[in-house]
Amino acid sequence: MMPSPGLEMRAERHHAMAVDGEQWLHMYRQMLRIRRFEEQVNELYMSAKMPGLAHLYIGQEAVAVGVCEALRRDDYITSTHRGHGHCLAKGASMDRMFAELLGKAPGYNRGKGGSMHIADPDTGNLGANAIVAGAVGIATGAAFSAKMRGTDQVAVCFFGEGALGQGVLYEVMNMASLWKLPVIYVCENNLYTEYTPYQEVLAGEILDRPRAFGIHAEAVDGQDVRAVYFAARRLVERARAGEGPAFLLCQTYRYYGHHVGDIDRSYYRPREEEEFWKKERDPIRLLGTWLLQERLADERILEAIAREVQAEVEAALAFALNAPYPIPDEVAQHVYADKAEP
Amino acid sequence: MMPSPGLEMRAERHHAMAVDGEQWLHMYRQMLRIRRFEEQVNELYMSAKMPGLAHLYIGQEAVAVGVCEALRRDDYITSTHRGHGHCLAKGASMDRMFAELLGKAPGYNRGKGGSMHIADPDTGNLGANAIVAGAVGIATGAAFSAKMRGTDQVAVCFFGEGALGQGVLYEVMNMASLWKLPVIYVCENNLYTEYTPYQEVLAGEILDRPRAFGIHAEAVDGQDVRAVYFAARRLVERARAGEGPAFLLCQTYRYYGHHVGDIDRSYYRPREEEEFWKKERDPIRLLGTWLLQERLADERILEAIAREVQAEVEAALAFALNAPYPIPDEVAQHVYADKAEP
Amino acid sequence: MSTLTKRNPEGASADRVITMAEAIREALAEEMRRDPQVFIIGEDVAEAGTPFKVLKGLVEEFGPQRVIDAPISEAGFTGIAVGAAMTGMRPVVDIMFGDFLTLAMDQIVNQAAKVHYMSGGRWRAPIVIRATMGATLRKAAQHSQSLHAWFAHIPGLKVVLPSTPYDAKGLLKTAIRDDNPVLFFENKAMYSTRGYVPAEEYTIPFGVADIKREGRDLTIVATSRMVQVALEAAERLAELGIEAEVVDPRTLVPLDRKTLIESAKKTGRVLVLDEGHQSYGVTAELAAAITEGAFYYLDAPVVRLGAMDVPIPFSPPLEDLTVPDPEKVVAAAKALCGRA
Amino acid sequence: MSTLTKRNPEGASADRVITMAEAIREALAEEMRRDPQVFIIGEDVAEAGTPFKVLKGLVEEFGPQRVIDAPISEAGFTGIAVGAAMTGMRPVVDIMFGDFLTLAMDQIVNQAAKVHYMSGGRWRAPIVIRATMGATLRKAAQHSQSLHAWFAHIPGLKVVLPSTPYDAKGLLKTAIRDDNPVLFFENKAMYSTRGYVPAEEYTIPFGVADIKREGRDLTIVATSRMVQVALEAAERLAELGIEAEVVDPRTLVPLDRKTLIESAKKTGRVLVLDEGHQSYGVTAELAAAITEGAFYYLDAPVVRLGAMDVPIPFSPPLEDLTVPDPEKVVAAAKALCGRA
Ligand SMILES: Cc1ncc(C[n+]2csc(CCOP(=O)(O)OP(=O)(O)O)c2C)c(N)n1
Ligand SMILES: Cc1ncc(C[n+]2csc(CCOP(=O)(O)OP(=O)(O)O)c2C)c(N)n1
Ligand SMILES: [Mg+2]
Ligand SMILES: [Mg+2]
């Protein structure tokens, strides 16, 4: 079962020792980078500067950052339609992300993928995916391959609680358990699958599902980046040591609509609920407050970070806005890989 | 959890009252009909009189009979590639079954379906299915429809433990649980999925899987037709009363190969294991012995049943062997249904 | 038909002009009022009325028992719909993006399409599967496919591709009353397309192609949104003195070969348009069928224009290259008429 | 090629003649020896060596780590293979019956086929999916389909249909070395077909059609087992003084249009054979492509012979009506040559 908070605390304490202030500040910066990047994405949409739609991750930053901080650069992740946070947390740079979202040539994927398909081998990002649960096979396969190739890489599979509706998830969890694969299934329960409260489409207890397949499973407060980080680190170390797969349920919330165009949300969730999470459960404010309390930072430092992040966003956006579109010939490139490239 | 045998007993006792000797004798006859029918099918294959292959149910008779005895004629079942037993237990007649297996016109399905696709609306048989877990959606949908139409029909979904590998099973169990559908998932664990011991491809405990979706689940000795019947009756009454779906795990064993052509099995299962089940765990002998002990029958009666069943098999086979093939025109019939037919 | 067609898709102002989305919603509402066995199942179909808002208001009229929000389980709820259809209901399944049909192929192709035949006619599965298709909306490779050719290849399935609000309503009502599994493809780029739809009830039979525009110089056979593209191209061609006849098969299965072939015989030149990938797609069957029937009347081989054989890219300038547009059609038509 | 082809499928007794199953097993064994990244995953592939015994002996040589028995989870293990392929392995996925591809369509079509393009060329998925096809074995509607047309319609996938042991071995080795997802369709009615296969190593390039028999009077384009049917028909036609040229594209994607069109130009009469359903199938694309390239050389429209547009029935006398056989081909060829 899920360990009681008390136990959780004790279990983590010695870990805490190993984490210095710099690393917490880094996580603070990472969460802020995601927040500001996406606020800018929303503005691009509102000002009709961005083609198509985007699914904002704002509110869930602690999950992507807490988990990815526990990973090595050569570890793998798979992401979702709501993937900007995962990509940035795994090491993507804003300029090429913006460029991809605008369909520009210097984008991570030549503008061919867009918001829902950002992929980057350099940071172990196997790709965001526009099919719900579409990447669970890929992530499990990457873990399978790491084991076969004898590396100690770990694969993290991010998905929303809506992905629990897709049968393929159970198929691959069964194999991950049978073959003790180094894969961690990170389920971000933000309470809604599109416009439907998740309890209306999900029976039973989420954690019972991975456990039914013999997979170690735990839940964590997805707004507390430190809790997410400690849990992820334990599970990653476990997987790296060959002790098999795990499932981490993160309780979280998205502040914006299902996508940038989902403005009037009152018919599926109350304004008060949104306000509560933003006011009481904001992952960035929670970490900031703790940093100040623990004297790991002062207002000055946090403001400096904010300024730097803002500058980074502006420079990255300028880069993307000025970048060229791919040339017409590119439409027929990359349909098939030939030994030559890349 | 699964009730201890002791509890099981007590729970069933008062039920036992309600079952008279005639009904047990009927179940004995039903199991024997399946056994003899399939022995004949095997002979047809061995003597090259039957086109294609067949998957024999012999050894598992108590599951089909125990479950179907708890059903009404207008209740639904879906069956599998190993479906002859389910079809007979639900009320199919041998002559039209043989005819179907031989591809003859009077077969249940004009010979178009064959061994793996016997379907019969008159007995609520939605069809055997050659796709593993291919009918779990259909069975759940029939229960869904019964609920929508306000009938008190129940649907039983038969499948082997190998079907636990198919994700769609979890998708439909989730909905059956959410919507409290009158469906009973009957999993026949005969220890092998084709030529592979089931533990090699299945992680965790089988019963934990339905339970993870909030579905009531129990296990029963699949060789003891009385135990199967009592369990099925309870679960069917429960479903009929609107108390929702259930999962019944039946421990059983197939005596023959995966299909009639699977003769040399030594590489995947030991001869001794086969002998043990045939000698110690035969569902027909177990019930026969009990009937004699309880004085519900004497040798004379059981022999009479055997003679009658043998005669039934011979007459049915003669009917099928003499039956005509469908005429060539039928190949293009039934591709599309028109309001007219049938 | 023809008069209605003439006023289609730009209805005379006097007539009732509504959007494709409204026409589809009307068809569903009318059939649900008419037959209590009809119900809708899919993701976010109830309060949300789908992301395209096509089903807006239906749950209010028919309640959550008949407009059912399902989990993200395309295979599961499609399978449930098949079982429900076999046992007396008439489900209308909502597949938000046609790309997700990949998840329900076994239920559609191995189960729904075959149960009537495999059972020797004893079971039937009257189910309608509504799915979106079409590119140009910047939704990238997994939300822009037009996979209807796959289903047209499978016996036991019927395949419908409406190109106007009028056709969409009449064909959807027919689909719901049909006793077979029907794939109904809605082009997501056309939901706001407006057109004439009479207030009186009507249905449109399957297997009857519609001549959207008459012409003598060449025949343009087109499906779904490509019909609009063809009509636009035809206007420009007319300015060049080329009168194109635009023929819409409306249903790929059953296919009205006769009307296609007659038009081909009349004009002697044929251009086939479809938004699915060109290779091994719908344009191949239509070109082959027309050639088989009108070979000796053709001045030139049938010209095919499908989507490029590339996954649909996100980048706008690239995506716009992948599907036929009026410019491409005009160019191809001019070349075909020796006016290049 | 041609000499090898001539000795194919009936190898001169002096040559090494093996079955299709053996040829496939040899290709797999050779590539697994050559490249440690190659592994096999599927149902009952290890000790059982699949129900068709095609993989017999491989687990003994390569061990259970490289010949992996998976649960009955086609979507799951295909997805795992895609992820493994992206990260340095070369999986060969075994789909026991091609009918089960319906369960893995999302993994194949939305993931494997598109990841290279969607990532702007940054990821690749070198995966081979071996699946069976073909009817006439009394396996009924869910175990007899030939669904290769679906995959040929999807950009990003390559599609291979060998018709002889020689081609099967050479093409499978090429498929395993290819950096793209390849669908490799094996006709289950041909596993025991024998043919010449040299002892020396060789590979066969994709996109090169093979002329299995030369002739001047008509061209028969055929795939997979239909090539054997065409060759048998050609012998009978020869007795009637009709010399048929039999052309096997061998790979549908990439397609060697040039060779097909040249043969069509030479003979002026074309018959296209494929075991998939005729409508919206492979015969349509081949007929359209040939007509586009050889229109002015054709004496008559290309004739198509695919499987009937009906689910495959179990009843032997009915099943035998559904797929083209030498009699049907001879009749069609005679009619085409005005000798009916
Ligand atoms: C297979 C599939 N079905 C439906 C969709 C449409 N869709 C996109 S996101 C989404 C909801 C996903 O909810 P969840 O997994 O909880 O992720 P969240 O959006 O909450 O982050 C749906 C239904 C899809 N992309 N893929
Ligand atoms: C989707 C699918 N995959 C594979 C097969 C091939 N196949 C037929 S039966 C079988 C094993 C089924 O095992 P189980 O469910 O335990 O039933 P049993 O044969 O033991 O009765 C397999 C793999 C199939 N028919 N369908
Ligand atoms: Mg969610
Ligand atoms: Mg079994």
Side-chain angles (χ1 to χ4, degrees):
Chain A
M1 315 118 294
M2 174 182 171
S4 77
L7 287 169
E8 193 72 52
M9 278 310 178
R10 238 171 293 110
E12 307 299 8
R13 200 152 275 135
H14 83 282
H15 277 293
M17 299 303 152
V19 182
D20 64 21
E22 277 315 306
Q23 197 171 347
W24 294 129
L25 280 170
H26 175 67
M27 293 191 214
Y28 181 86
R29 178 188 298 268
Q30 286 291 73
M31 291 196 289
L32 200 63
R33 289 177 69 235
I34 295 170
R35 176 76 50 102
R36 296 282 172 265
F37 176 85
E38 290 214 311
E39 284 168 351
Q40 186 58 64
V41 169
N42 193 48
E43 240 171 79
L44 285 170
Y45 171 80
M46 291 305 181
S47 55
K49 286 205 193 72
M50 183 181 67
L53 296 170
H55 305 78
L56 301 185
Y57 192 70
I58 291 179
Q60 307 182 200
E61 296 91 342
V63 178
V65 171
V67 170
C68 291
E69 277 302 302
L71 296 176
R72 291 193 321 227
R73 188 176 176 88
D74 72 334
D75 287 328
Y76 298 110
I77 66 163
T78 61
S79 174
T80 70
H81 57 286
R82 198 176 302 289
H84 305 159
H86 309 129
C87 300
L88 286 167
K90 193 64 171 62
S93 70
M94 289 187 187
D95 48 6
R96 298 186 63 188
M97 293 252 313
F98 273 128
E100 189 61 33
L101 266 61
L102 295 177
K104 301 296 187 76
Y108 272 106
N109 311 105
R110 309 292 306 166
K112 285 178 166 176
S115 167
M116 292 199 290
H117 299 290
I118 294 176
D120 177 28
D122 299 341
T123 55
N125 179 355
L126 291 160
N129 209 299
I131 302 295
V132 167
V136 300
I138 292 170
T140 309
F144 180 88
S145 145
K147 183 165 186 169
M148 254 192 153
R149 288 178 290 110
T151 73
D152 64 350
Q153 291 162 291
V154 169
V156 165
C157 181
F158 288 102
F159 52 83
E161 85 291 340
L164 294 164
Q166 288 288 325
V168 68
L169 174 61
Y170 306 96
E171 296 188 6
V172 298
M173 285 201 298
N174 182 50
M175 286 181 269
S177 178
L178 280 169
W179 302 332
K180 275 188 151 252
L181 302 181
V183 57
I184 294 158
Y185 301 99
V186 176
C187 177
E188 303 184 61
N189 181 5
N190 60 9
L191 308 184
Y192 297 89
T193 67
E194 264 189 10
Y195 317 104
T196 303
Y198 83 98
Q199 303 94 330
E200 289 180 20
V201 289
L202 187 133
E205 289 304 318
I206 291 178
L207 288 180
D208 289 343
R209 297 190 179 189
R211 286 175 182 150
F213 293 81
I215 291 181
H216 172 82
E218 22 184 290
V220 67
D221 175 356
Q223 305 310 89
D224 177 350
V225 71
R226 292 180 305 127
V228 173
Y229 171 74
F230 286 130
R233 200 166 92 171
R234 247 189 308 100
L235 300 179
V236 168
E237 281 166 8
R238 211 175 144 275
R240 228 186 272 294
E243 291 163 44
F247 185 103
L248 182 61
L249 173 60
C250 304
Q251 312 290 2
T252 184
Y253 196 79
R254 63 164 156 82
Y255 290 0
Y256 284 72
H258 170 61
H259 56 65
V260 285
D262 173 25
I263 310 293
D264 165 25
R265 303 181 284 274
S266 49
Y267 72 93
Y268 72 88
R269 71 182 198 186
R271 244 197 159 320
E272 304 65 41
E273 181 182 279
E274 295 187 359
E275 289 318 314
F276 167 79
W277 284 83
K278 292 178 190 173
K279 276 212 187 54
E280 309 299 328
R281 312 287 302 116
D282 184 70
I284 298 174
R285 190 178 307 110
L286 287 175
L287 179 62
T289 313
W290 180 81
L291 285 167
L292 297 174
Q293 282 168 359
E294 302 285 313
R295 302 251 185 297
L296 291 168
D298 58 25
E299 292 292 356
R300 232 183 55 274
I301 296 177
L302 298 190
E303 280 157 16
I305 292 176
R307 274 194 308 279
E308 287 157 26
V309 169
Q310 196 49 47
E312 183 186 6
V313 170
E314 282 158 21
L317 179 62
F319 167 86
L321 288 171
N322 299 327
Y325 283 110
I327 59 170
D329 292 1
E330 289 205 34
V331 71
Q333 280 171 23
H334 304 132
V335 178
Y336 294 97
D338 43 70
K339 289 283 176 194
E341 35 149 327
Chain B
M1 315 119 294
M2 173 184 174
S4 77
L7 288 168
E8 192 72 53
M9 278 311 178
R10 239 170 293 110
E12 306 301 8
R13 200 153 277 135
H14 83 281
H15 276 294
M17 299 305 154
V19 183
D20 64 21
E22 276 316 304
Q23 198 171 347
W24 294 126
L25 279 170
H26 174 68
M27 293 190 214
Y28 181 85
R29 177 188 299 269
Q30 286 292 72
M31 291 197 289
L32 201 61
R33 288 177 70 236
I34 295 170
R35 176 77 49 103
R36 297 281 172 266
F37 176 86
E38 291 213 312
E39 285 167 349
Q40 185 58 65
V41 169
N42 193 49
E43 241 170 79
L44 285 171
Y45 171 79
M46 290 306 180
S47 55
K49 287 204 193 71
M50 183 181 67
L53 295 170
H55 304 78
L56 301 185
Y57 191 70
I58 291 179
Q60 307 182 199
E61 295 91 343
V63 177
V65 171
V67 170
C68 291
E69 277 302 303
L71 296 176
R72 292 194 320 227
R73 189 177 175 85
D74 72 335
D75 287 329
Y76 298 109
I77 65 163
T78 61
S79 174
T80 69
H81 57 285
R82 199 175 302 290
H84 305 158
H86 309 131
C87 299
L88 286 166
K90 192 63 171 63
S93 70
M94 287 187 189
D95 49 5
R96 298 185 65 188
M97 294 252 314
F98 274 128
E100 190 60 35
L101 267 59
L102 295 176
K104 301 295 189 76
Y108 272 107
N109 311 107
R110 309 294 303 167
K112 284 177 167 175
S115 167
M116 292 199 290
H117 299 290
I118 293 176
D120 177 28
D122 299 340
T123 55
N125 178 355
L126 291 160
N129 209 300
I131 302 295
V132 166
V136 300
I138 292 171
T140 309
F144 180 89
S145 145
K147 184 166 186 169
M148 258 192 147
R149 288 178 289 112
T151 73
D152 64 351
Q153 292 162 290
V154 169
V156 166
C157 181
F158 287 103
F159 52 83
E161 85 291 341
L164 294 164
Q166 288 288 326
V168 68
L169 174 62
Y170 306 97
E171 296 187 6
V172 298
M173 286 201 297
N174 182 50
M175 287 180 269
S177 179
L178 279 170
W179 302 332
K180 277 192 149 237
L181 303 181
V183 57
I184 294 157
Y185 301 98
V186 176
C187 177
E188 302 185 62
N189 181 5
N190 61 8
L191 309 185
Y192 297 89
T193 68
E194 264 190 7
Y195 316 104
T196 304
Y198 84 98
Q199 303 94 329
E200 289 179 22
V201 289
L202 187 133
E205 290 303 318
I206 291 178
L207 289 180
D208 288 344
R209 296 191 180 188
R211 285 172 184 156
F213 293 82
I215 291 181
H216 172 82
E218 15 185 297
V220 66
D221 175 356
Q223 305 308 90
D224 177 349
V225 72
R226 293 180 302 128
V228 173
Y229 171 73
F230 286 130
R233 200 166 92 170
R234 247 189 307 104
L235 299 179
V236 169
E237 281 168 8
R238 213 175 143 274
R240 226 185 275 292
E243 290 162 46
F247 185 104
L248 182 62
L249 173 60
C250 304
Q251 313 289 3
T252 184
Y253 197 79
R254 66 164 154 81
Y255 290 180
Y256 285 72
H258 171 61
H259 57 63
V260 286
D262 173 26
I263 310 293
D264 165 26
R265 303 183 285 274
S266 49
Y267 74 91
Y268 71 88
R269 72 182 198 187
R271 240 196 162 324
E272 303 65 44
E273 180 183 279
E274 295 187 0
E275 288 318 313
F276 166 79
W277 283 84
K278 292 180 190 173
K279 277 211 184 57
E280 310 298 327
R281 312 286 303 118
D282 185 70
I284 299 176
R285 189 176 310 112
L286 287 175
L287 179 62
T289 313
W290 180 82
L291 284 168
L292 297 174
Q293 280 168 0
E294 302 285 313
R295 303 248 186 300
L296 291 168
D298 56 26
E299 291 292 356
R300 232 183 56 273
I301 296 178
L302 300 190
E303 279 156 19
I305 292 176
R307 273 194 309 279
E308 288 158 25
V309 169
Q310 196 49 46
E312 184 186 6
V313 170
E314 281 157 23
L317 179 63
F319 168 85
L321 288 171
N322 299 327
Y325 283 109
I327 58 169
D329 291 1
E330 290 205 32
V331 71
Q333 280 172 24
H334 305 132
V335 179
Y336 294 97
D338 42 71
K339 289 282 181 195
E341 35 146 333
Chain C
M1 188 70 50
S2 62
T3 59
L4 294 169
T5 307
K6 293 257 177 7
R7 293 134 100 188
N8 231 356
E10 307 313 334
S13 59
D15 298 318
R16 199 178 72 118
V17 173
I18 63 175
T19 66
M20 181 83 112
E22 289 162 341
I24 289 163
R25 192 181 314 138
E26 279 188 1
L28 288 165
E30 287 176 15
E31 293 305 302
M32 288 177 83
R33 286 179 205 123
R34 177 177 174 275
D35 181 351
Q37 310 301 340
V38 178
F39 71 93
I40 295 170
I41 187 166
E43 293 150 18
D44 293 299
V45 292
E47 285 69 21
T50 81
F52 306 102
K53 303 300 170 197
V54 175
L55 307 184
K56 212 158 171 312
L58 293 181
V59 72
E60 285 73 8
E61 176 174 357
F62 301 101
Q65 292 74 19
R66 292 182 69 191
V67 183
I68 300 155
D69 274 337
I72 309 176
S73 307
E74 284 79 5
F77 64 74
T78 302
I80 285 173
V82 175
M86 289 170 68
T87 54
M89 303 300 293
R90 292 189 166 271
V92 177
V93 174
D94 188 293
I95 301 290
M96 197 184 292
F97 287 83
D99 313 68
F100 311 154
L101 287 165
T102 51
L103 294 154
M105 294 305 284
D106 179 67
Q107 300 302 322
I108 298 170
V109 173
N110 285 334
Q111 311 304 336
K114 295 175 173 45
V115 69
H116 187 64
Y117 192 86
M118 291 193 304
S119 68
R122 303 197 61 209
W123 287 112
R124 50 184 61 190
I127 169 175
V128 175
I129 297 173
R130 293 178 45 248
T132 57
M133 62 179 280
T136 71
L137 296 181
R138 318 312 180 207
K139 295 191 176 295
Q142 294 175 336
H143 280 57
S144 305
Q145 293 171 92
S146 300
L147 298 171
H148 45 289
W150 283 357
F151 303 91
H153 184 49
I154 302 301
L157 302 176
K158 296 186 179 181
V159 181
V160 183
L161 277 78
S163 65
T164 68
Y166 175 84
D167 289 352
K169 182 175 180 180
L171 291 166
L172 181 51
K173 286 167 68 78
T174 301
I176 292 170
R177 298 180 195 187
D178 195 286
D179 265 2
N180 298 281
V182 178
L183 276 288
F184 191 88
F185 286 92
E186 302 168 11
N187 198 307
K188 56 178 113 65
M190 287 182 77
Y191 277 130
S192 50
T193 299
R194 300 169 61 75
Y196 164 73
V197 175
E200 319 75 56
E201 167 166 52
Y202 67 97
T203 60
I204 298 176
F206 286 176
V208 180
D210 187 41
I211 297 175
K212 298 291 191 211
R213 182 186 197 282
E214 285 172 9
R216 61 175 185 285
D217 300 324
L218 88 153
T219 297
I220 304 179
V221 178
T223 63
S224 187
R225 191 173 65 81
M226 291 301 108
V227 172
Q228 307 301 344
V229 169
L231 288 168
E232 221 179 293
E235 294 308 316
R236 306 201 200 165
L237 288 165
E239 293 161 14
L240 306 170
I242 299 175
E243 287 303 331
E245 178 149 292
V246 177
V247 184
D248 175 2
R250 298 199 291 199
T251 58
L252 296 179
V253 182
L255 178 64
D256 180 359
R257 287 184 163 72
K258 189 164 157 302
T259 301
L260 271 54
I261 290 166
E262 276 168 7
S263 177
K265 285 181 175 176
K266 182 175 82 176
T267 64
R269 301 193 189 83
V270 183
L271 188 63
V272 179
L273 292 184
D274 180 72
E275 199 170 340
H277 295 298
Q278 181 166 312
S279 292
Y280 301 91
V282 165
T283 60
E285 177 65 33
L286 298 181
I290 290 167
T291 305
E292 282 158 8
F295 183 75
Y296 300 101
Y297 298 76
L298 295 177
D299 303 336
V302 174
V303 174
R304 298 187 284 156
L305 272 185
M308 283 180 75
D309 292 319
V310 307
I312 305 298
F314 166 72
S315 187
L318 298 188
E319 182 180 30
D320 291 342
L321 297 170
T322 61
V323 289
D325 57 23
E327 290 66 33
K328 291 198 192 72
V329 175
V330 168
K334 283 169 63 182
L336 183 55
C337 298
R339 301 273 293 279
Chain D
M1 189 68 53
S2 62
T3 59
L4 294 169
T5 308
K6 294 260 173 5
R7 291 134 103 190
N8 231 354
E10 308 312 333
S13 58
D15 297 319
R16 198 177 73 117
V17 173
I18 62 175
T19 67
M20 181 84 110
E22 289 162 342
I24 289 163
R25 193 181 313 139
E26 279 188 1
L28 288 165
E30 288 176 16
E31 292 307 301
M32 288 177 82
R33 286 179 205 122
R34 177 176 174 277
D35 181 350
Q37 310 301 338
V38 178
F39 71 91
I40 295 169
I41 187 166
E43 293 151 18
D44 292 299
V45 293
E47 283 70 22
T50 81
F52 305 102
K53 302 300 169 197
V54 175
L55 306 183
K56 212 160 172 311
L58 292 182
V59 71
E60 285 73 8
E61 177 173 357
F62 301 101
Q65 293 73 21
R66 292 182 69 191
V67 184
I68 301 156
D69 275 337
I72 308 176
S73 307
E74 283 79 4
F77 64 72
T78 302
I80 285 173
V82 174
M86 289 170 67
T87 54
M89 303 300 293
R90 292 188 165 272
V92 177
V93 174
D94 188 293
I95 300 290
M96 196 183 294
F97 287 84
D99 313 69
F100 312 154
L101 286 165
T102 51
L103 294 154
M105 294 305 283
D106 177 67
Q107 300 303 321
I108 298 169
V109 172
N110 286 333
Q111 310 304 336
K114 295 175 171 48
V115 68
H116 187 64
Y117 191 87
M118 293 192 301
S119 67
R122 301 196 63 209
W123 287 111
R124 49 185 61 190
I127 170 175
V128 176
I129 297 172
R130 293 177 45 248
T132 58
M133 63 178 278
T136 70
L137 296 181
R138 319 311 182 206
K139 295 188 177 297
Q142 293 175 337
H143 280 57
S144 306
Q145 292 170 93
S146 301
L147 298 171
H148 45 289
W150 283 357
F151 304 91
H153 184 50
I154 302 302
L157 301 176
K158 296 185 178 182
V159 181
V160 183
L161 276 79
S163 66
T164 67
Y166 176 83
D167 288 350
K169 182 175 179 181
L171 291 166
L172 182 51
K173 286 165 69 77
T174 300
I176 292 170
R177 298 180 194 186
D178 195 286
D179 264 4
N180 298 282
V182 178
L183 275 289
F184 191 88
F185 285 93
E186 302 168 10
N187 198 306
K188 57 177 110 65
M190 286 182 76
Y191 277 131
S192 51
T193 299
R194 300 167 62 74
Y196 165 73
V197 175
E200 319 75 57
E201 166 163 53
Y202 67 96
T203 61
I204 298 174
F206 286 177
V208 180
D210 186 42
I211 297 175
K212 297 291 192 212
R213 182 187 196 282
E214 284 173 8
R216 60 173 186 286
D217 300 325
L218 86 153
T219 298
I220 304 179
V221 178
T223 63
S224 187
R225 192 173 65 81
M226 290 301 108
V227 173
Q228 306 301 345
V229 169
L231 289 168
E232 220 180 295
E235 294 308 315
R236 304 200 202 166
L237 288 166
E239 293 160 13
L240 305 171
I242 299 175
E243 288 302 329
E245 179 148 291
V246 177
V247 184
D248 175 2
R250 297 199 290 200
T251 58
L252 296 179
V253 182
L255 179 64
D256 181 358
R257 288 183 161 74
K258 190 165 156 300
T259 301
L260 271 53
I261 289 166
E262 276 168 8
S263 178
K265 285 180 175 177
K266 184 175 82 177
T267 64
R269 302 191 187 86
V270 184
L271 188 63
V272 179
L273 292 184
D274 180 71
E275 200 170 339
H277 295 299
Q278 180 166 313
S279 292
Y280 301 91
V282 165
T283 60
E285 178 65 32
L286 298 180
I290 290 166
T291 305
E292 282 157 9
F295 183 75
Y296 300 101
Y297 297 77
L298 294 177
D299 303 337
V302 174
V303 174
R304 298 186 285 155
L305 272 184
M308 284 180 74
D309 292 320
V310 308
I312 305 299
F314 165 73
S315 187
L318 297 188
E319 182 180 30
D320 291 341
L321 297 170
T322 60
V323 288
D325 57 23
E327 289 65 35
K328 291 197 193 73
V329 175
V330 168
K334 283 167 64 183
L336 184 55
C337 298
R339 301 274 293 281

